[in-house]
Amino acid sequence: MENQFPFAFLDKATDTPMPLSELVDTFEEMCRIPLENDNLIFETVTDNFTGIELFFFTLIRQYPNPDGGLFELHLDVIYEPNEANQHFTCTLSQQQIEGGFFDFVRHSPAYLSAQNERIVKVSVYLDEV
């Protein structure tokens, strides 16, 4: 199915350990797979979604599903919270960002702080909303 190809690409491309810079590069490469009416979202938050407090650096690509809803393809890069990252909380779509989306992500304080930290886990998944 055409709508599943971006997920398969991202899932396979991130199945070996890599630094944040390469993960963002890989997500950007996946975004070159043509999809109509897509939207990009950048999120950061420290929360205990898993029962353990963790810092989430998340990139999301939204695109229409055949049922009229949206697919959300997530790349979660998960870190232990620390003094620097626990204060980063944002949710921004590409429409809210002036200039290039990935330039913004790569120059964000959260990215600059996290790029040299140890990654706990990388999670790729596809949701429907």
Side-chain angles (χ1 to χ4, degrees):
M1 173 183 240
E2 177 183 322
N3 290 334
Q4 300 294 325
F5 183 66
F7 169 76
F9 172 88
L10 190 61
D11 191 44
K12 181 166 177 43
T14 59
D15 67 356
T16 59
M18 62 180 67
L20 180 61
S21 61
E22 289 180 31
L23 290 165
V24 172
D25 291 347
T26 301
F27 192 90
E28 183 176 22
E29 184 179 349
M30 177 274 302
C31 288
R32 292 187 192 111
I33 298 169
L35 291 170
E36 293 195 27
N37 301 317
D38 66 338
N39 181 41
L40 302 177
I41 299 171
F42 173 48
E43 291 185 337
T44 59
V45 67
T46 298
D47 208 320
N48 62 354
F49 301 121
T50 63
I52 301 169
E53 191 163 279
L54 297 165
F55 174 69
F56 291 80
F57 182 101
T58 301
L59 298 173
I60 302 168
R61 186 177 187 190
Q62 289 181 327
Y63 50 97
N65 72 21
D67 300 328
L70 292 171
F71 286 119
E72 287 191 342
L73 177 51
H74 290 247
L75 171 65
D76 288 347
V77 185
I78 304 167
Y79 298 87
E80 291 184 16
N82 61 39
E83 189 65 33
N85 67 25
Q86 68 183 351
H87 304 291
F88 299 127
T89 302
C90 79
T91 300
L92 295 170
S93 73
Q94 70 188 64
Q95 290 86 9
Q96 297 171 291
I97 296 171
E98 291 193 28
F101 178 82
F102 290 101
D103 286 338
F104 178 88
V105 169
R106 288 183 183 100
H107 290 95
S108 70
Y111 177 89
L112 296 172
S113 174
Q115 68 182 344
N116 295 317
E117 296 292 326
R118 186 182 71 79
I119 296 171
V120 172
K121 182 178 179 181
V122 174
S123 179
V124 173
Y125 59 96
L126 188 63
D127 271 347
E128 288 189 64
V129 295

